[in-house]
Amino acid sequence: DQQVKQNSPSLSVQEGRISILNCDYTNSMFDYFLWYKKYPAEGPTFLISISSIKDKNEDGRFTVFLNKSAKHLSLHIVPSQPGDSAVYFCAASSHNTDKLIFGTGTRLQVFP
Amino acid sequence: DAGVIQSPRHEVTEMGQEVTLRCKPISGHNSLFWYRQTMMRGLELLIYFNNNVPIDDSGMPEDRFSAKMPNASFSTLKIQPSEPRDSAVYFCASSQKTAFGYTFGSGTRLTVV
């Protein structure tokens, strides 16, 4: 049973435009959410996170939005750059555990 | 800090052979996680340790898989016997606290033929 779902396996965006990556979760106990970025032949690296007490967190070109009622979060990248081309994983955890549950990932390609 | 170190980077083995993957976490991190990446399931948690003690191994697919953490600076994931469906990239990660995110190693790409 996939508790964290990324329904879009891939996304292609033109340089300079906005990239929106989506993630849905089913477990209402999740209270912390993270996005990781992965380049080929490397491990995932932490990008941005959000606590369930917030609905938005911004870090430079990256913003994460959380809609708790819909159990949905999204990552916005503005403006998109070719170097953003990677696989993006959504992850979730609850306060009473150390483990992160990851989604299946979305491959973002930013073209010139 | 050299980060999380995994070895080997690549492993090709024949079906039925024993495979051992190794991980050295970041010094001072008290949690260690083993994940497997596949196209179908994404990053799948296999097992995690806290202060060298296994906390949750519910993701270990079968008895063929085992993991140990004999001390704070070393962990192994063993598959015996290996099967072609075990082919995947295996990641090790460590953390002080989930809120700060994990640090992943570069992974071991396992191919069982």
PDB file of all heavy atoms in Angstrom, chain A residues 2 32 34 36 38 41-44 46 89 93 97-100 102-104, chain B residues 9 31 33 35 37 40-43 45 48 50 56 91 98-99 101-102 104-105:
ATOM      1  N   GLN A   2       0.768   2.056  -1.042  1.00  0.00           N
ATOM      2  CA  GLN A   2       1.619   3.223  -1.200  1.00  0.00           C
ATOM      3  C   GLN A   2       1.013   4.378  -0.409  1.00  0.00           C
ATOM      4  O   GLN A   2      -0.018   4.935  -0.804  1.00  0.00           O
ATOM      5  CB  GLN A   2       1.726   3.569  -2.705  1.00  0.00           C
ATOM      6  CG  GLN A   2       2.865   4.467  -3.069  1.00  0.00           C
ATOM      7  CD  GLN A   2       4.200   3.746  -3.148  1.00  0.00           C
ATOM      8  OE1 GLN A   2       4.263   2.522  -3.265  1.00  0.00           O
ATOM      9  NE2 GLN A   2       5.279   4.488  -3.068  1.00  0.00           N
ATOM     10  N   TYR A  32       5.006  15.832   8.897  1.00  0.00           N
ATOM     11  CA  TYR A  32       6.191  16.502   8.388  1.00  0.00           C
ATOM     12  C   TYR A  32       6.457  15.968   6.996  1.00  0.00           C
ATOM     13  O   TYR A  32       6.414  14.751   6.776  1.00  0.00           O
ATOM     14  CB  TYR A  32       7.387  16.252   9.308  1.00  0.00           C
ATOM     15  CG  TYR A  32       8.469  17.278   9.157  1.00  0.00           C
ATOM     16  CD1 TYR A  32       8.345  18.532   9.731  1.00  0.00           C
ATOM     17  CD2 TYR A  32       9.621  16.997   8.431  1.00  0.00           C
ATOM     18  CE1 TYR A  32       9.328  19.486   9.583  1.00  0.00           C
ATOM     19  CE2 TYR A  32      10.612  17.946   8.277  1.00  0.00           C
ATOM     20  CZ  TYR A  32      10.459  19.189   8.854  1.00  0.00           C
ATOM     21  OH  TYR A  32      11.431  20.131   8.699  1.00  0.00           O
ATOM     22  N   LEU A  34       8.781  16.357   3.223  1.00  0.00           N
ATOM     23  CA  LEU A  34      10.048  16.803   2.663  1.00  0.00           C
ATOM     24  C   LEU A  34      10.085  16.513   1.171  1.00  0.00           C
ATOM     25  O   LEU A  34       9.406  15.599   0.689  1.00  0.00           O
ATOM     26  CB  LEU A  34      11.226  16.076   3.333  1.00  0.00           C
ATOM     27  CG  LEU A  34      11.324  16.128   4.862  1.00  0.00           C
ATOM     28  CD1 LEU A  34      10.571  14.967   5.509  1.00  0.00           C
ATOM     29  CD2 LEU A  34      12.777  16.087   5.305  1.00  0.00           C
ATOM     30  N   TYR A  36      13.019  15.703  -1.824  1.00  0.00           N
ATOM     31  CA  TYR A  36      14.394  15.366  -2.127  1.00  0.00           C
ATOM     32  C   TYR A  36      14.590  15.412  -3.630  1.00  0.00           C
ATOM     33  O   TYR A  36      13.680  15.132  -4.411  1.00  0.00           O
ATOM     34  CB  TYR A  36      14.740  13.957  -1.621  1.00  0.00           C
ATOM     35  CG  TYR A  36      15.052  13.885  -0.150  1.00  0.00           C
ATOM     36  CD1 TYR A  36      14.044  13.947   0.802  1.00  0.00           C
ATOM     37  CD2 TYR A  36      16.366  13.763   0.282  1.00  0.00           C
ATOM     38  CE1 TYR A  36      14.339  13.895   2.150  1.00  0.00           C
ATOM     39  CE2 TYR A  36      16.676  13.713   1.632  1.00  0.00           C
ATOM     40  CZ  TYR A  36      15.649  13.773   2.544  1.00  0.00           C
ATOM     41  OH  TYR A  36      15.945  13.719   3.886  1.00  0.00           O
ATOM     42  N   LYS A  38      17.186  14.095  -6.806  1.00  0.00           N
ATOM     43  CA  LYS A  38      18.173  13.059  -7.098  1.00  0.00           C
ATOM     44  C   LYS A  38      18.688  13.178  -8.522  1.00  0.00           C
ATOM     45  O   LYS A  38      17.904  13.108  -9.480  1.00  0.00           O
ATOM     46  CB  LYS A  38      17.561  11.667  -6.873  1.00  0.00           C
ATOM     47  CG  LYS A  38      18.581  10.544  -7.066  1.00  0.00           C
ATOM     48  CD  LYS A  38      17.941   9.201  -6.953  1.00  0.00           C
ATOM     49  CE  LYS A  38      18.987   8.106  -7.193  1.00  0.00           C
ATOM     50  NZ  LYS A  38      19.700   8.250  -8.478  1.00  0.00           N
ATOM     51  N   ALA A  41      23.162   8.520 -10.645  1.00  0.00           N
ATOM     52  CA  ALA A  41      24.361   7.974 -10.006  1.00  0.00           C
ATOM     53  C   ALA A  41      24.706   8.673  -8.694  1.00  0.00           C
ATOM     54  O   ALA A  41      25.844   8.551  -8.207  1.00  0.00           O
ATOM     55  CB  ALA A  41      25.558   8.014 -10.949  1.00  0.00           C
ATOM     56  N   GLU A  42      23.767   9.412  -8.120  1.00  0.00           N
ATOM     57  CA  GLU A  42      23.981  10.031  -6.819  1.00  0.00           C
ATOM     58  C   GLU A  42      22.832   9.671  -5.890  1.00  0.00           C
ATOM     59  O   GLU A  42      21.751   9.261  -6.339  1.00  0.00           O
ATOM     60  CB  GLU A  42      24.058  11.554  -6.941  1.00  0.00           C
ATOM     61  CG  GLU A  42      25.246  12.049  -7.747  1.00  0.00           C
ATOM     62  CD  GLU A  42      25.286  13.565  -7.781  1.00  0.00           C
ATOM     63  OE1 GLU A  42      24.526  14.214  -7.039  1.00  0.00           O
ATOM     64  OE2 GLU A  42      26.093  14.101  -8.570  1.00  0.00           O
ATOM     65  N   GLY A  43      23.060   9.848  -4.584  1.00  0.00           N
ATOM     66  CA  GLY A  43      21.976   9.663  -3.644  1.00  0.00           C
ATOM     67  C   GLY A  43      21.064  10.877  -3.624  1.00  0.00           C
ATOM     68  O   GLY A  43      21.446  11.963  -4.033  1.00  0.00           O
ATOM     69  N   PRO A  44      19.825  10.697  -3.154  1.00  0.00           N
ATOM     70  CA  PRO A  44      18.917  11.851  -3.027  1.00  0.00           C
ATOM     71  C   PRO A  44      19.478  12.872  -2.050  1.00  0.00           C
ATOM     72  O   PRO A  44      20.135  12.500  -1.064  1.00  0.00           O
ATOM     73  CB  PRO A  44      17.631  11.215  -2.480  1.00  0.00           C
ATOM     74  CG  PRO A  44      17.727   9.771  -2.817  1.00  0.00           C
ATOM     75  CD  PRO A  44      19.183   9.435  -2.757  1.00  0.00           C
ATOM     76  N   PHE A  46      18.441  16.436   0.285  1.00  0.00           N
ATOM     77  CA  PHE A  46      17.342  17.182   0.862  1.00  0.00           C
ATOM     78  C   PHE A  46      17.188  18.531   0.169  1.00  0.00           C
ATOM     79  O   PHE A  46      18.170  19.231  -0.078  1.00  0.00           O
ATOM     80  CB  PHE A  46      17.592  17.390   2.351  1.00  0.00           C
ATOM     81  CG  PHE A  46      16.643  18.335   3.019  1.00  0.00           C
ATOM     82  CD1 PHE A  46      15.328  17.952   3.243  1.00  0.00           C
ATOM     83  CD2 PHE A  46      17.050  19.596   3.394  1.00  0.00           C
ATOM     84  CE1 PHE A  46      14.442  18.825   3.863  1.00  0.00           C
ATOM     85  CE2 PHE A  46      16.172  20.477   4.000  1.00  0.00           C
ATOM     86  CZ  PHE A  46      14.859  20.088   4.234  1.00  0.00           C
ATOM     87  N   PHE A  89      11.659  13.419  -5.248  1.00  0.00           N
ATOM     88  CA  PHE A  89      10.910  12.520  -4.374  1.00  0.00           C
ATOM     89  C   PHE A  89      10.225  13.316  -3.273  1.00  0.00           C
ATOM     90  O   PHE A  89      10.832  14.169  -2.629  1.00  0.00           O
ATOM     91  CB  PHE A  89      11.841  11.490  -3.719  1.00  0.00           C
ATOM     92  CG  PHE A  89      12.370  10.441  -4.654  1.00  0.00           C
ATOM     93  CD1 PHE A  89      13.626  10.563  -5.230  1.00  0.00           C
ATOM     94  CD2 PHE A  89      11.615   9.314  -4.949  1.00  0.00           C
ATOM     95  CE1 PHE A  89      14.130   9.598  -6.088  1.00  0.00           C
ATOM     96  CE2 PHE A  89      12.104   8.338  -5.801  1.00  0.00           C
ATOM     97  CZ  PHE A  89      13.354   8.479  -6.378  1.00  0.00           C
ATOM     98  N   SER A  93       6.686  11.927   7.166  1.00  0.00           N
ATOM     99  CA  SER A  93       6.943  11.229   8.421  1.00  0.00           C
ATOM    100  C   SER A  93       5.958  11.713   9.478  1.00  0.00           C
ATOM    101  O   SER A  93       5.265  12.714   9.293  1.00  0.00           O
ATOM    102  CB  SER A  93       8.375  11.477   8.902  1.00  0.00           C
ATOM    103  OG  SER A  93       8.517  12.785   9.396  1.00  0.00           O
ATOM    104  N   THR A  97       8.024   8.768  14.936  1.00  0.00           N
ATOM    105  CA  THR A  97       8.918   7.825  14.279  1.00  0.00           C
ATOM    106  C   THR A  97      10.023   8.579  13.561  1.00  0.00           C
ATOM    107  O   THR A  97       9.854   9.741  13.200  1.00  0.00           O
ATOM    108  CB  THR A  97       8.158   6.944  13.277  1.00  0.00           C
ATOM    109  OG1 THR A  97       9.088   6.069  12.614  1.00  0.00           O
ATOM    110  CG2 THR A  97       7.468   7.784  12.220  1.00  0.00           C
ATOM    111  N   ASP A  98      11.152   7.900  13.360  1.00  0.00           N
ATOM    112  CA  ASP A  98      12.258   8.512  12.636  1.00  0.00           C
ATOM    113  C   ASP A  98      12.200   8.243  11.145  1.00  0.00           C
ATOM    114  O   ASP A  98      12.961   8.808  10.382  1.00  0.00           O
ATOM    115  CB  ASP A  98      13.595   7.965  13.162  1.00  0.00           C
ATOM    116  CG  ASP A  98      13.873   8.412  14.576  1.00  0.00           C
ATOM    117  OD1 ASP A  98      13.448   9.516  14.935  1.00  0.00           O
ATOM    118  OD2 ASP A  98      14.525   7.651  15.322  1.00  0.00           O
ATOM    119  N   LYS A  99      11.323   7.352  10.714  1.00  0.00           N
ATOM    120  CA  LYS A  99      11.412   6.909   9.333  1.00  0.00           C
ATOM    121  C   LYS A  99      10.643   7.807   8.385  1.00  0.00           C
ATOM    122  O   LYS A  99       9.631   8.411   8.726  1.00  0.00           O
ATOM    123  CB  LYS A  99      10.931   5.466   9.192  1.00  0.00           C
ATOM    124  CG  LYS A  99       9.471   5.233   9.449  1.00  0.00           C
ATOM    125  CD  LYS A  99       9.178   3.736   9.317  1.00  0.00           C
ATOM    126  CE  LYS A  99       7.694   3.452   9.470  1.00  0.00           C
ATOM    127  NZ  LYS A  99       7.397   2.002   9.393  1.00  0.00           N
ATOM    128  N   LEU A 100      11.179   7.913   7.162  1.00  0.00           N
ATOM    129  CA  LEU A 100      10.551   8.662   6.091  1.00  0.00           C
ATOM    130  C   LEU A 100       9.951   7.680   5.095  1.00  0.00           C
ATOM    131  O   LEU A 100      10.601   6.704   4.713  1.00  0.00           O
ATOM    132  CB  LEU A 100      11.573   9.542   5.363  1.00  0.00           C
ATOM    133  CG  LEU A 100      12.050  10.816   6.060  1.00  0.00           C
ATOM    134  CD1 LEU A 100      13.080  11.516   5.185  1.00  0.00           C
ATOM    135  CD2 LEU A 100      10.894  11.733   6.356  1.00  0.00           C
ATOM    136  N   PHE A 102       8.733   7.440   1.308  1.00  0.00           N
ATOM    137  CA  PHE A 102       8.939   8.157   0.051  1.00  0.00           C
ATOM    138  C   PHE A 102       7.910   7.764  -0.998  1.00  0.00           C
ATOM    139  O   PHE A 102       7.372   6.651  -0.985  1.00  0.00           O
ATOM    140  CB  PHE A 102      10.330   7.853  -0.508  1.00  0.00           C
ATOM    141  CG  PHE A 102      11.442   8.579   0.191  1.00  0.00           C
ATOM    142  CD1 PHE A 102      11.995   8.064   1.349  1.00  0.00           C
ATOM    143  CD2 PHE A 102      11.950   9.756  -0.311  1.00  0.00           C
ATOM    144  CE1 PHE A 102      13.029   8.726   2.004  1.00  0.00           C
ATOM    145  CE2 PHE A 102      12.984  10.431   0.323  1.00  0.00           C
ATOM    146  CZ  PHE A 102      13.522   9.912   1.491  1.00  0.00           C
ATOM    147  N   GLY A 103       7.684   8.680  -1.931  1.00  0.00           N
ATOM    148  CA  GLY A 103       6.894   8.389  -3.107  1.00  0.00           C
ATOM    149  C   GLY A 103       7.754   7.753  -4.180  1.00  0.00           C
ATOM    150  O   GLY A 103       8.934   7.448  -3.968  1.00  0.00           O
ATOM    151  N   THR A 104       7.161   7.554  -5.353  1.00  0.00           N
ATOM    152  CA  THR A 104       7.853   6.876  -6.448  1.00  0.00           C
ATOM    153  C   THR A 104       8.716   7.805  -7.278  1.00  0.00           C
ATOM    154  O   THR A 104       9.490   7.350  -8.098  1.00  0.00           O
ATOM    155  CB  THR A 104       6.853   6.168  -7.368  1.00  0.00           C
ATOM    156  OG1 THR A 104       5.832   7.104  -7.731  1.00  0.00           O
ATOM    157  CG2 THR A 104       6.201   4.977  -6.673  1.00  0.00           C
TER     158      THR A 104
ATOM    159  N   ARG B   9      30.119   0.333  -5.145  1.00  0.00           N
ATOM    160  CA  ARG B   9      29.229   1.177  -5.934  1.00  0.00           C
ATOM    161  C   ARG B   9      28.402   0.333  -6.897  1.00  0.00           C
ATOM    162  O   ARG B   9      27.249   0.631  -7.167  1.00  0.00           O
ATOM    163  CB  ARG B   9      30.024   2.224  -6.719  1.00  0.00           C
ATOM    164  CG  ARG B   9      30.601   3.353  -5.885  1.00  0.00           C
ATOM    165  CD  ARG B   9      29.490   4.174  -5.196  1.00  0.00           C
ATOM    166  NE  ARG B   9      28.481   4.663  -6.116  1.00  0.00           N
ATOM    167  CZ  ARG B   9      28.552   5.828  -6.752  1.00  0.00           C
ATOM    168  NH1 ARG B   9      29.605   6.602  -6.605  1.00  0.00           N
ATOM    169  NH2 ARG B   9      27.573   6.214  -7.556  1.00  0.00           N
ATOM    170  N   SER B  31      20.726   7.507  13.716  1.00  0.00           N
ATOM    171  CA  SER B  31      19.771   6.669  12.988  1.00  0.00           C
ATOM    172  C   SER B  31      20.357   6.299  11.628  1.00  0.00           C
ATOM    173  O   SER B  31      20.973   7.119  10.956  1.00  0.00           O
ATOM    174  CB  SER B  31      18.443   7.397  12.776  1.00  0.00           C
ATOM    175  OG  SER B  31      17.795   7.625  14.007  1.00  0.00           O
ATOM    176  N   PHE B  33      19.379   4.051   7.941  1.00  0.00           N
ATOM    177  CA  PHE B  33      18.266   3.527   7.157  1.00  0.00           C
ATOM    178  C   PHE B  33      18.810   2.838   5.905  1.00  0.00           C
ATOM    179  O   PHE B  33      19.739   3.326   5.275  1.00  0.00           O
ATOM    180  CB  PHE B  33      17.338   4.663   6.712  1.00  0.00           C
ATOM    181  CG  PHE B  33      16.894   5.562   7.840  1.00  0.00           C
ATOM    182  CD1 PHE B  33      17.708   6.581   8.289  1.00  0.00           C
ATOM    183  CD2 PHE B  33      15.662   5.374   8.455  1.00  0.00           C
ATOM    184  CE1 PHE B  33      17.318   7.415   9.325  1.00  0.00           C
ATOM    185  CE2 PHE B  33      15.259   6.196   9.492  1.00  0.00           C
ATOM    186  CZ  PHE B  33      16.088   7.219   9.928  1.00  0.00           C
ATOM    187  N   TYR B  35      17.401   1.711   2.179  1.00  0.00           N
ATOM    188  CA  TYR B  35      16.318   1.851   1.209  1.00  0.00           C
ATOM    189  C   TYR B  35      16.695   1.108  -0.072  1.00  0.00           C
ATOM    190  O   TYR B  35      17.872   0.926  -0.390  1.00  0.00           O
ATOM    191  CB  TYR B  35      16.080   3.322   0.842  1.00  0.00           C
ATOM    192  CG  TYR B  35      15.304   4.122   1.843  1.00  0.00           C
ATOM    193  CD1 TYR B  35      15.941   4.702   2.931  1.00  0.00           C
ATOM    194  CD2 TYR B  35      13.931   4.304   1.710  1.00  0.00           C
ATOM    195  CE1 TYR B  35      15.226   5.447   3.858  1.00  0.00           C
ATOM    196  CE2 TYR B  35      13.209   5.053   2.630  1.00  0.00           C
ATOM    197  CZ  TYR B  35      13.861   5.618   3.692  1.00  0.00           C
ATOM    198  OH  TYR B  35      13.151   6.364   4.610  1.00  0.00           O
ATOM    199  N   GLN B  37      15.697   1.311  -4.246  1.00  0.00           N
ATOM    200  CA  GLN B  37      15.010   2.081  -5.277  1.00  0.00           C
ATOM    201  C   GLN B  37      14.704   1.215  -6.480  1.00  0.00           C
ATOM    202  O   GLN B  37      15.603   0.601  -7.074  1.00  0.00           O
ATOM    203  CB  GLN B  37      15.844   3.272  -5.742  1.00  0.00           C
ATOM    204  CG  GLN B  37      15.111   4.156  -6.751  1.00  0.00           C
ATOM    205  CD  GLN B  37      15.986   5.208  -7.394  1.00  0.00           C
ATOM    206  OE1 GLN B  37      17.196   5.268  -7.187  1.00  0.00           O
ATOM    207  NE2 GLN B  37      15.378   6.066  -8.189  1.00  0.00           N
ATOM    208  N   MET B  40       9.130   0.755  -9.987  1.00  0.00           N
ATOM    209  CA  MET B  40       7.730   0.549  -9.614  1.00  0.00           C
ATOM    210  C   MET B  40       7.393   1.100  -8.233  1.00  0.00           C
ATOM    211  O   MET B  40       6.300   1.634  -8.026  1.00  0.00           O
ATOM    212  CB  MET B  40       7.400  -0.952  -9.642  1.00  0.00           C
ATOM    213  CG  MET B  40       7.393  -1.541 -11.034  1.00  0.00           C
ATOM    214  SD  MET B  40       6.159  -0.782 -12.101  1.00  0.00           S
ATOM    215  CE  MET B  40       4.649  -1.252 -11.269  1.00  0.00           C
ATOM    216  N   ARG B  41       8.326   0.998  -7.297  1.00  0.00           N
ATOM    217  CA  ARG B  41       8.011   1.323  -5.907  1.00  0.00           C
ATOM    218  C   ARG B  41       8.760   2.538  -5.380  1.00  0.00           C
ATOM    219  O   ARG B  41       8.581   2.923  -4.222  1.00  0.00           O
ATOM    220  CB  ARG B  41       8.276   0.110  -5.023  1.00  0.00           C
ATOM    221  CG  ARG B  41       7.469  -1.113  -5.444  1.00  0.00           C
ATOM    222  CD  ARG B  41       7.845  -2.322  -4.587  1.00  0.00           C
ATOM    223  NE  ARG B  41       7.334  -2.192  -3.240  1.00  0.00           N
ATOM    224  CZ  ARG B  41       6.132  -2.612  -2.845  1.00  0.00           C
ATOM    225  NH1 ARG B  41       5.322  -3.164  -3.711  1.00  0.00           N
ATOM    226  NH2 ARG B  41       5.752  -2.475  -1.585  1.00  0.00           N
ATOM    227  N   GLY B  42       9.587   3.123  -6.224  1.00  0.00           N
ATOM    228  CA  GLY B  42      10.338   4.297  -5.778  1.00  0.00           C
ATOM    229  C   GLY B  42      11.338   3.930  -4.709  1.00  0.00           C
ATOM    230  O   GLY B  42      11.983   2.885  -4.774  1.00  0.00           O
ATOM    231  N   LEU B  43      11.470   4.771  -3.691  1.00  0.00           N
ATOM    232  CA  LEU B  43      12.382   4.519  -2.567  1.00  0.00           C
ATOM    233  C   LEU B  43      11.612   3.795  -1.470  1.00  0.00           C
ATOM    234  O   LEU B  43      10.762   4.362  -0.809  1.00  0.00           O
ATOM    235  CB  LEU B  43      12.953   5.836  -2.037  1.00  0.00           C
ATOM    236  CG  LEU B  43      14.114   6.437  -2.808  1.00  0.00           C
ATOM    237  CD1 LEU B  43      14.361   7.868  -2.348  1.00  0.00           C
ATOM    238  CD2 LEU B  43      15.367   5.598  -2.641  1.00  0.00           C
ATOM    239  N   LEU B  45      11.603   1.746   2.066  1.00  0.00           N
ATOM    240  CA  LEU B  45      12.359   1.529   3.286  1.00  0.00           C
ATOM    241  C   LEU B  45      12.418   0.049   3.617  1.00  0.00           C
ATOM    242  O   LEU B  45      11.381  -0.614   3.706  1.00  0.00           O
ATOM    243  CB  LEU B  45      11.734   2.294   4.450  1.00  0.00           C
ATOM    244  CG  LEU B  45      12.401   2.109   5.815  1.00  0.00           C
ATOM    245  CD1 LEU B  45      13.821   2.679   5.814  1.00  0.00           C
ATOM    246  CD2 LEU B  45      11.574   2.772   6.906  1.00  0.00           C
ATOM    247  N   TYR B  48      15.396   0.149   9.550  1.00  0.00           N
ATOM    248  CA  TYR B  48      16.178   1.224  10.118  1.00  0.00           C
ATOM    249  C   TYR B  48      16.591   0.925  11.547  1.00  0.00           C
ATOM    250  O   TYR B  48      15.933   0.152  12.257  1.00  0.00           O
ATOM    251  CB  TYR B  48      15.492   2.579   9.974  1.00  0.00           C
ATOM    252  CG  TYR B  48      14.457   2.968  10.994  1.00  0.00           C
ATOM    253  CD1 TYR B  48      14.801   3.733  12.111  1.00  0.00           C
ATOM    254  CD2 TYR B  48      13.122   2.634  10.807  1.00  0.00           C
ATOM    255  CE1 TYR B  48      13.846   4.143  13.014  1.00  0.00           C
ATOM    256  CE2 TYR B  48      12.165   3.042  11.713  1.00  0.00           C
ATOM    257  CZ  TYR B  48      12.520   3.796  12.813  1.00  0.00           C
ATOM    258  OH  TYR B  48      11.562   4.194  13.711  1.00  0.00           O
ATOM    259  N   ASN B  50      18.209   2.595  15.257  1.00  0.00           N
ATOM    260  CA  ASN B  50      18.400   3.763  16.095  1.00  0.00           C
ATOM    261  C   ASN B  50      19.374   3.376  17.200  1.00  0.00           C
ATOM    262  O   ASN B  50      19.118   2.395  17.922  1.00  0.00           O
ATOM    263  CB  ASN B  50      17.065   4.248  16.681  1.00  0.00           C
ATOM    264  CG  ASN B  50      17.177   5.634  17.276  1.00  0.00           C
ATOM    265  OD1 ASN B  50      17.610   5.813  18.409  1.00  0.00           O
ATOM    266  ND2 ASN B  50      16.812   6.617  16.505  1.00  0.00           N
ATOM    267  N   ASP B  56      12.676  -1.049  13.047  1.00  0.00           N
ATOM    268  CA  ASP B  56      11.573  -1.434  12.163  1.00  0.00           C
ATOM    269  C   ASP B  56      12.150  -2.155  10.958  1.00  0.00           C
ATOM    270  O   ASP B  56      12.856  -1.545  10.158  1.00  0.00           O
ATOM    271  CB  ASP B  56      10.805  -0.179  11.726  1.00  0.00           C
ATOM    272  CG  ASP B  56       9.570  -0.505  10.889  1.00  0.00           C
ATOM    273  OD1 ASP B  56       9.431  -1.652  10.405  1.00  0.00           O
ATOM    274  OD2 ASP B  56       8.744   0.410  10.704  1.00  0.00           O
ATOM    275  N   PHE B  91      20.222   2.111  -1.196  1.00  0.00           N
ATOM    276  CA  PHE B  91      20.763   3.297  -0.557  1.00  0.00           C
ATOM    277  C   PHE B  91      20.799   3.122   0.960  1.00  0.00           C
ATOM    278  O   PHE B  91      19.889   2.556   1.558  1.00  0.00           O
ATOM    279  CB  PHE B  91      19.913   4.530  -0.874  1.00  0.00           C
ATOM    280  CG  PHE B  91      20.047   5.027  -2.281  1.00  0.00           C
ATOM    281  CD1 PHE B  91      19.064   4.739  -3.221  1.00  0.00           C
ATOM    282  CD2 PHE B  91      21.129   5.792  -2.659  1.00  0.00           C
ATOM    283  CE1 PHE B  91      19.177   5.189  -4.525  1.00  0.00           C
ATOM    284  CE2 PHE B  91      21.251   6.245  -3.960  1.00  0.00           C
ATOM    285  CZ  PHE B  91      20.275   5.950  -4.895  1.00  0.00           C
ATOM    286  N   THR B  98      14.931  13.384  11.981  1.00  0.00           N
ATOM    287  CA  THR B  98      14.226  13.439  10.705  1.00  0.00           C
ATOM    288  C   THR B  98      13.936  14.854  10.264  1.00  0.00           C
ATOM    289  O   THR B  98      13.945  15.161   9.093  1.00  0.00           O
ATOM    290  CB  THR B  98      12.899  12.660  10.792  1.00  0.00           C
ATOM    291  OG1 THR B  98      13.183  11.329  11.185  1.00  0.00           O
ATOM    292  CG2 THR B  98      12.191  12.662   9.458  1.00  0.00           C
ATOM    293  N   ALA B  99      13.659  15.743  11.205  1.00  0.00           N
ATOM    294  CA  ALA B  99      13.314  17.114  10.850  1.00  0.00           C
ATOM    295  C   ALA B  99      14.390  17.773  10.005  1.00  0.00           C
ATOM    296  O   ALA B  99      14.110  18.670   9.223  1.00  0.00           O
ATOM    297  CB  ALA B  99      13.080  17.936  12.110  1.00  0.00           C
ATOM    298  N   GLY B 101      16.191  16.061   7.900  1.00  0.00           N
ATOM    299  CA  GLY B 101      16.371  15.284   6.690  1.00  0.00           C
ATOM    300  C   GLY B 101      17.492  14.275   6.817  1.00  0.00           C
ATOM    301  O   GLY B 101      18.338  14.355   7.682  1.00  0.00           O
ATOM    302  N   TYR B 102      17.445  13.329   5.931  1.00  0.00           N
ATOM    303  CA  TYR B 102      18.476  12.313   5.900  1.00  0.00           C
ATOM    304  C   TYR B 102      19.627  12.765   5.008  1.00  0.00           C
ATOM    305  O   TYR B 102      19.436  13.561   4.091  1.00  0.00           O
ATOM    306  CB  TYR B 102      17.972  11.028   5.253  1.00  0.00           C
ATOM    307  CG  TYR B 102      16.865  10.291   5.915  1.00  0.00           C
ATOM    308  CD1 TYR B 102      16.345   9.163   5.297  1.00  0.00           C
ATOM    309  CD2 TYR B 102      16.301  10.664   7.124  1.00  0.00           C
ATOM    310  CE1 TYR B 102      15.321   8.434   5.857  1.00  0.00           C
ATOM    311  CE2 TYR B 102      15.275   9.940   7.687  1.00  0.00           C
ATOM    312  CZ  TYR B 102      14.785   8.827   7.049  1.00  0.00           C
ATOM    313  OH  TYR B 102      13.775   8.105   7.605  1.00  0.00           O
ATOM    314  N   PHE B 104      21.941  10.819   2.363  1.00  0.00           N
ATOM    315  CA  PHE B 104      22.057   9.542   1.673  1.00  0.00           C
ATOM    316  C   PHE B 104      23.472   9.309   1.172  1.00  0.00           C
ATOM    317  O   PHE B 104      24.195  10.256   0.834  1.00  0.00           O
ATOM    318  CB  PHE B 104      21.126   9.497   0.458  1.00  0.00           C
ATOM    319  CG  PHE B 104      19.689   9.214   0.777  1.00  0.00           C
ATOM    320  CD1 PHE B 104      18.840  10.225   1.178  1.00  0.00           C
ATOM    321  CD2 PHE B 104      19.184   7.923   0.667  1.00  0.00           C
ATOM    322  CE1 PHE B 104      17.513   9.968   1.467  1.00  0.00           C
ATOM    323  CE2 PHE B 104      17.857   7.655   0.959  1.00  0.00           C
ATOM    324  CZ  PHE B 104      17.014   8.678   1.357  1.00  0.00           C
ATOM    325  N   GLY B 105      23.824   8.026   1.081  1.00  0.00           N
ATOM    326  CA  GLY B 105      25.029   7.651   0.366  1.00  0.00           C
ATOM    327  C   GLY B 105      24.753   7.650  -1.136  1.00  0.00           C
ATOM    328  O   GLY B 105      23.627   7.928  -1.574  1.00  0.00           O
TER     329      GLY B 105
END
